[in-house]
Amino acid sequence: MGQHKTWQERREQLIEATIVSIHEDGLEKTSIQRIAKRAGLTAGIVGHYFGDKDGLLNATYDALYAKILANAERASNSQQSPAARVKSILLGYLSPDQLTPEIVTAWYVLVARLRQSPALQEIQLNAEITVRGKLRALLNEELSSMDAEALSRGLFAMVTGFWVLMASDPASQDYDAHRKSILSVIERFLKAYSLRDT
Protein backbone atom coordinates (compact mmCIF):
# COMPACT_ATOMS: atom_id res chain seq x y z
CA MET A 1 0.00 0.00 0.00
CA GLY A 2 1.45 3.40 -1.03
CA GLN A 3 2.21 6.00 1.55
CA HIS A 4 -0.21 8.90 1.76
CA LYS A 5 1.53 12.08 0.60
CA THR A 6 1.36 15.22 2.70
CA TRP A 7 0.31 18.58 1.30
CA GLN A 8 3.94 19.74 1.35
CA GLU A 9 5.11 16.67 -0.56
CA ARG A 10 2.43 17.13 -3.20
CA ARG A 11 3.20 20.83 -3.45
CA GLU A 12 6.90 20.16 -4.03
CA GLN A 13 6.03 17.44 -6.55
CA LEU A 14 3.81 19.81 -8.52
CA ILE A 15 6.30 22.69 -8.43
CA GLU A 16 9.05 20.38 -9.69
CA ALA A 17 6.75 19.19 -12.48
CA THR A 18 5.97 22.83 -13.35
CA ILE A 19 9.67 23.68 -13.62
CA VAL A 20 10.32 20.69 -15.89
CA SER A 21 7.27 21.47 -18.03
CA ILE A 22 8.30 25.11 -18.50
CA HIS A 23 11.76 23.96 -19.58
CA GLU A 24 10.68 21.11 -21.87
CA ASP A 25 7.31 22.33 -23.22
CA GLY A 26 7.56 26.12 -22.98
CA LEU A 27 5.19 28.29 -21.00
CA GLU A 28 2.36 28.34 -23.55
CA LYS A 29 2.16 24.55 -23.71
CA THR A 30 2.56 24.16 -19.97
CA SER A 31 -0.91 23.32 -18.70
CA ILE A 32 -2.49 22.01 -15.52
CA GLN A 33 -3.07 18.69 -17.32
CA ARG A 34 0.59 18.33 -18.42
CA ILE A 35 1.88 19.28 -14.99
CA ALA A 36 -0.49 16.87 -13.25
CA LYS A 37 0.52 14.04 -15.58
CA ARG A 38 4.22 14.72 -14.96
CA ALA A 39 3.63 14.71 -11.22
CA GLY A 40 1.53 11.54 -11.35
CA LEU A 41 -1.48 13.38 -9.96
CA THR A 42 -4.86 14.48 -11.26
CA ALA A 43 -5.69 17.91 -12.65
CA GLY A 44 -8.35 18.14 -9.95
CA ILE A 45 -5.71 17.94 -7.21
CA VAL A 46 -3.72 20.72 -8.88
CA GLY A 47 -6.84 22.87 -9.05
CA HIS A 48 -7.64 22.09 -5.42
CA TYR A 49 -4.23 23.24 -4.19
CA PHE A 50 -3.43 26.10 -6.59
CA GLY A 51 -6.66 27.14 -8.28
CA ASP A 52 -5.33 27.54 -11.80
CA LYS A 53 -2.16 27.74 -13.88
CA ASP A 54 -1.35 31.25 -12.66
CA GLY A 55 -1.65 30.09 -9.06
CA LEU A 56 0.80 27.28 -9.72
CA LEU A 57 3.23 29.62 -11.52
CA ASN A 58 3.09 32.03 -8.57
CA ALA A 59 3.79 29.19 -6.14
CA THR A 60 6.71 28.06 -8.31
CA TYR A 61 8.27 31.54 -8.35
CA ASP A 62 7.79 31.78 -4.60
CA ALA A 63 9.45 28.37 -4.12
CA LEU A 64 12.43 29.37 -6.27
CA TYR A 65 12.96 32.45 -4.15
CA ALA A 66 12.41 30.51 -0.92
CA LYS A 67 15.58 28.52 -1.58
CA ILE A 68 17.60 31.67 -2.12
CA LEU A 69 16.11 33.34 0.97
CA ALA A 70 16.94 30.26 3.05
CA ASN A 71 20.54 30.49 1.82
CA ALA A 72 20.56 34.21 2.64
CA GLU A 73 19.26 33.56 6.15
CA ARG A 74 21.97 30.99 6.85
CA ALA A 75 24.69 33.20 5.42
CA SER A 76 23.67 36.33 7.33
CA ASN A 77 23.66 34.39 10.62
CA SER A 78 27.13 32.87 10.17
CA GLN A 79 30.20 33.90 12.15
CA GLN A 80 32.15 35.12 9.11
CA SER A 81 33.13 38.72 8.41
CA PRO A 82 30.36 40.99 7.08
CA ALA A 83 31.90 40.97 3.59
CA ALA A 84 32.15 37.17 3.57
CA ARG A 85 28.51 36.95 4.58
CA VAL A 86 27.53 39.39 1.83
CA LYS A 87 29.34 37.21 -0.69
CA SER A 88 27.66 34.07 0.70
CA ILE A 89 24.21 35.63 0.36
CA LEU A 90 24.86 36.54 -3.27
CA LEU A 91 26.31 33.11 -4.00
CA GLY A 92 22.97 31.67 -2.86
CA TYR A 93 21.75 32.70 -6.31
CA LEU A 94 24.57 30.72 -7.87
CA SER A 95 24.49 27.50 -5.86
CA PRO A 96 24.49 24.25 -7.88
CA ASP A 97 20.80 23.62 -7.17
CA GLN A 98 20.01 26.97 -8.85
CA LEU A 99 22.26 26.40 -11.86
CA THR A 100 20.43 23.65 -13.69
CA PRO A 101 18.99 24.19 -17.18
CA GLU A 102 15.45 23.61 -15.84
CA ILE A 103 15.77 26.12 -12.98
CA VAL A 104 17.44 28.74 -15.16
CA THR A 105 14.67 28.44 -17.75
CA ALA A 106 11.97 28.71 -15.07
CA TRP A 107 13.55 31.85 -13.62
CA TYR A 108 13.84 33.47 -17.02
CA VAL A 109 10.29 32.65 -18.10
CA LEU A 110 8.72 33.76 -14.81
CA VAL A 111 10.73 36.99 -14.63
CA ALA A 112 9.50 37.78 -18.15
CA ARG A 113 5.91 37.60 -16.79
CA LEU A 114 6.48 40.16 -14.03
CA ARG A 115 4.96 43.09 -15.91
CA GLN A 116 1.71 41.19 -16.47
CA SER A 117 1.39 39.66 -13.01
CA PRO A 118 0.87 41.70 -9.82
CA ALA A 119 1.20 38.47 -7.79
CA LEU A 120 4.65 37.73 -9.24
CA GLN A 121 5.62 41.38 -8.73
CA GLU A 122 4.73 41.10 -5.06
CA ILE A 123 6.83 37.95 -4.63
CA GLN A 124 9.73 39.65 -6.43
CA LEU A 125 9.46 42.82 -4.34
CA ASN A 126 9.26 40.95 -1.02
CA ALA A 127 12.30 38.84 -1.91
CA GLU A 128 14.25 41.87 -3.07
CA ILE A 129 13.42 43.76 0.12
CA THR A 130 14.56 40.79 2.21
CA VAL A 131 17.83 40.14 0.36
CA ARG A 132 18.80 43.78 -0.01
CA GLY A 133 17.91 44.38 3.63
CA LYS A 134 20.27 41.61 4.74
CA LEU A 135 23.03 42.94 2.46
CA ARG A 136 22.53 46.50 3.67
CA ALA A 137 22.53 45.49 7.35
CA LEU A 138 25.84 43.65 6.93
CA LEU A 139 27.43 46.43 4.90
CA ASN A 140 26.31 48.99 7.50
CA GLU A 141 28.74 47.29 9.89
CA GLU A 142 31.64 48.43 7.71
CA LEU A 143 30.40 51.35 5.61
CA SER A 144 28.40 54.55 5.85
CA SER A 145 24.67 54.11 5.39
CA MET A 146 24.86 55.82 1.98
CA ASP A 147 27.63 53.50 0.76
CA ALA A 148 25.90 50.44 2.25
CA GLU A 149 22.69 51.31 0.39
CA ALA A 150 24.50 51.97 -2.90
CA LEU A 151 26.56 48.78 -2.71
CA SER A 152 23.62 46.59 -1.67
CA ARG A 153 21.58 47.89 -4.62
CA GLY A 154 24.47 47.45 -7.05
CA LEU A 155 25.31 43.92 -5.94
CA PHE A 156 21.68 42.81 -6.02
CA ALA A 157 21.15 44.31 -9.49
CA MET A 158 24.33 42.69 -10.76
CA VAL A 159 23.43 39.20 -9.58
CA THR A 160 19.85 39.36 -10.87
CA GLY A 161 21.16 40.78 -14.15
CA PHE A 162 23.49 37.81 -14.33
CA TRP A 163 20.44 35.54 -14.46
CA VAL A 164 19.00 37.40 -17.41
CA LEU A 165 22.31 37.36 -19.27
CA MET A 166 22.85 33.68 -18.62
CA ALA A 167 19.30 32.58 -19.39
CA SER A 168 19.10 34.64 -22.58
CA ASP A 169 21.87 32.55 -24.14
CA PRO A 170 20.45 29.01 -24.17
CA ALA A 171 23.53 27.68 -25.98
CA SER A 172 25.73 28.64 -23.04
CA GLN A 173 25.32 26.20 -20.19
CA ASP A 174 28.81 26.47 -18.74
CA TYR A 175 27.35 27.56 -15.43
CA ASP A 176 30.60 27.04 -13.55
CA ALA A 177 32.29 29.59 -15.80
CA HIS A 178 29.39 32.02 -15.24
CA ARG A 179 29.65 31.47 -11.49
CA LYS A 180 33.39 32.17 -11.47
CA SER A 181 32.90 35.34 -13.52
CA ILE A 182 30.23 36.78 -11.26
CA LEU A 183 32.22 35.82 -8.15
CA SER A 184 35.18 37.73 -9.54
CA VAL A 185 33.00 40.81 -10.06
CA ILE A 186 31.53 40.56 -6.53
CA GLU A 187 35.05 40.43 -5.10
CA ARG A 188 36.06 43.49 -7.15
CA PHE A 189 33.04 45.40 -5.84
CA LEU A 190 33.93 44.54 -2.25
CA LYS A 191 37.57 45.45 -2.81
CA ALA A 192 36.54 48.82 -4.29
CA TYR A 193 34.95 49.61 -0.93
CA SER A 194 38.02 48.27 0.92
CA LEU A 195 36.07 45.32 2.29
CA ARG A 196 37.84 42.04 2.98
CA ASP A 197 35.90 38.77 3.00
CA THR A 198 38.17 37.02 5.48
Side-chain angles (χ1 to χ4, degrees):
M1 184 179 235
Q3 238 182 353
H4 180 69
K5 289 187 181 291
T6 66
W7 147 242
Q8 186 60 33
E9 288 170 332
R10 282 183 170 173
R11 183 178 189 276
E12 290 172 4
Q13 197 175 350
L14 288 165
I15 286 171
E16 179 61 31
T18 303
I19 290 168
V20 172
S21 186
I22 289 171
H23 178 70
E24 293 184 358
D25 306 327
L27 184 61
E28 293 308 314
K29 290 184 180 176
T30 292
S31 64
I32 292 292
Q33 289 75 19
R34 281 180 187 244
I35 292 166
K37 185 176 180 182
R38 268 201 167 87
L41 298 169
T42 67
I45 288 176
V46 181
H48 173 71
Y49 286 131
F50 298 102
D52 57 14
K53 179 179 171 179
D54 283 343
L56 187 47
L57 293 176
N58 296 342
T60 300
Y61 197 54
D62 193 46
L64 290 171
Y65 258 122
K67 290 184 179 180
I68 289 173
L69 295 176
N71 290 340
E73 187 65 29
R74 283 192 297 274
S76 63
N77 290 332
S78 75
Q79 298 301 309
Q80 297 173 301
S81 69
R85 283 181 277 167
V86 163
K87 189 162 75 171
S88 294
I89 288 171
L90 294 170
L91 290 179
Y93 281 82
L94 312 173
S95 61
D97 67 335
Q98 293 295 308
L99 296 180
T100 66
E102 295 81 8
I103 296 287
V104 171
T105 300
W107 273 113
Y108 190 63
V109 166
L110 293 171
V111 165
R113 285 176 52 88
L114 282 172
R115 285 184 181 270
Q116 292 80 40
S117 172
L120 289 178
Q121 289 172 22
E122 184 176 356
I123 294 165
Q124 171 72 27
L125 179 61
N126 289 338
E128 180 176 346
I129 288 169
T130 300
V131 173
R132 279 188 37 228
K134 289 183 182 301
L135 294 173
R136 188 172 56 250
L138 290 168
L139 292 168
N140 269 331
E141 295 180 28
E142 304 282 339
L143 302 172
S144 70
S145 59
M146 184 180 297
D147 283 347
E149 175 64 20
L151 186 53
S152 68
R153 279 182 180 273
L155 288 169
F156 182 84
M158 181 183 59
V159 172
T160 52
F162 155 81
W163 275 104
V164 175
L165 179 65
M166 184 175 69
S168 64
D169 182 7
S172 176
Q173 294 188 357
D174 188 352
Y175 299 138
D176 190 51
H178 282 297
R179 189 178 190 278
K180 286 176 181 174
S181 294
I182 201 73
L183 177 57
S184 173
V185 177
I186 291 169
E187 288 172 344
R188 287 170 187 263
F189 265 82
L190 295 174
K191 187 177 180 181
Y193 282 83
S194 302
L195 295 172
R196 295 182 178 274
D197 63 357
T198 56

